[in-house]
Amino acid sequence: MKITGVELRTVRMPLVSPFETSFGVQRERLAVLVRVVGTVSGAAAGGDRKGREVQGWGECVAMEAPLYNSEYAAGSLEVLRRYLVPLLFREVERTGGVTAENVESVLAPVVGHRMAKGALEMAVLDAQLRGSGTSFASYLGAVRDTVPSGVSVGIQPSVNALLDVVGEYVTQGYARVKLKIRPGWDVVPVEAVRNRFGDLLALQVDANAAYSLADVRTLARLDEFDLLLLEQPLARDDLRQHAELATRLRTPVCLDESITSVRAAADAIALRACRVVNIKAGRVGGYLTARRVHDLCLANGVPVWCGGMLETGLGRAANAALAALPGFTLPGDVSGSDRFYERDITEPIVMDDGQVAVPTGAGLGVEPIKDVLERFTVATEWVQAD
Ligand code: NPQ
Ligand code: MG
């Protein structure tokens, strides 16, 4: 497609309740959205020589502050406006167009900033697929039309509060519960949840890198609670220590923050640093790379599941499509929009009977609702070819 303009929009959405993790408490979701506007020609336009207008949406999952990883919303916005979008325009000028499949190589001169790159690739892919009438799911290779829906439960003020919150999600029918843990909030709350809800509850925990190898004894105490997995216990850049820890635990170790690329996933598997992989498209630079991480894990017999970054309906729709690939054998953090938002910017993604439907429409299959989008928008700018 030819790209004529890119809109960068910042939205600020209140969360239904504070979300606390080992790195802090979030009360709002600030997100950068990317809208790519362009034209498609030839076969994709049904033989229309002049080209047909298309647009596509992307969502950058970087948080407002660099707490989950080094990226942060204002930094993503700056790198998009100043480097990434201009690289795309230069490519269009040089070759007459871009495809989602070559966005990664076009953006490769910029080091890092995978979440920003992933958002731009997602927008180009959405536009391309809307142009050809193909859904994200069908393009990525989905094999299911619904995906099991898990929920991530933040650190609570007390164990009683935690039991109430988990009870609510269990009643709603979530297929799996993930508890956020940190030193001082681990064995006691996990034991309480296991005792209250019984052995049949699919339960796992996420430490967001809050422990060190000195905590092996505490982490090993979690073994008795039959957890599906322990997510990212140690530092993001320490595969070796994760491998060491894994030999001391019965609970499978899963990596999230550490898996920043196909190469990182290959290293983690080769080093036996994890037995399960959390895939987040933004963290690895987009849905195309996410699919390659999936393919690698599937080939190595490593189960994967789809992580979540408090996405709006746009990212949530794309995640549902990704989670429908064959290697996603564990429920993901693909919950209903109402888990985080009173009002989503798209038609809400709905959890029903523990499942989320995979969108079937062209591209993402969902679109922002104009007045809702405007209500949450705090800044908009256009980047145009010079
Ligand atoms: C995780 N998410 O798996 C992340 C981390 C996370 C659903 O547990 C604002 C925006 C707050 C993104 C808090 C879940 C966030 C965020 C936590 C992502 O590690
Ligand atoms: Mg995580």
Side-chain angles (χ1 to χ4, degrees), residues 19 21 23 26 29 63 68 152 178 180 206 208 231 256-257 278 280 308-310 333 340:
F19 186 49
T21 67
F23 53 72
Q26 314 298 314
R29 195 356 161 178
M63 295 177 64
Y68 166 82
S152 177
K178 159 169 138 181
K180 290 293 192 176
D206 185 0
N208 287 110
E231 182 179 348
D256 171 359
E257 284 90 333
N278 166 323
K280 288 177 180 168
M309 289 294 287
L310 283 58
D333 283 344
F340 291 111

Side-chain angles (χ1 to χ4, degrees), residues 3 6 54 90-92 105-106 112 147 158 162 167 169 179 182 201 219 231 253 279 296 321 327 366 380 385:
I3 295 176
V6 175
V54 288
R90 241 167 280 153
E91 176 70 7
V92 171
S105 66
V106 169
V147 294
S158 68
L162 176 67
Y169 293 132
L179 305 181
R182 67 155 175 244
L201 177 69
L219 295 172
E231 182 179 348
V253 169
I279 299 183
L296 171 85
V366 298
T380 308

Side-chain angles (χ1 to χ4, degrees), residues 271-287:
L271 292 169
R272 301 184 191 284
C274 65
R275 279 158 54 188
V276 181
V277 168
N278 166 323
I279 299 183
K280 288 177 180 168
R283 198 190 58 224
V284 300
Y287 285 88

Side-chain angles (χ1 to χ4, degrees), residues 45-105:
D48 183 349
R49 289 281 128 204
K50 287 179 188 160
R52 189 155 43 85
E53 274 240 7
V54 288
Q55 64 165 10
W57 290 92
E59 176 170 352
C60 179
V61 298
M63 295 177 64
E64 183 165 10
L67 302 176
Y68 166 82
N69 66 1
S70 65
E71 297 189 72
Y72 62 104
S76 304
L77 187 61
E78 171 70 356
V79 81
L80 278 159
R81 123 178 5 112
R82 189 159 169 190
Y83 298 105
L84 303 179
V85 173
L87 276 171
L88 218 54
F89 283 140
R90 241 167 280 153
E91 176 70 7
V92 171
E93 193 157 304
R94 200 174 64 82
T95 67
V98 286
T99 63
E101 295 77 12
N102 63 28
V103 168
E104 185 189 14
S105 66

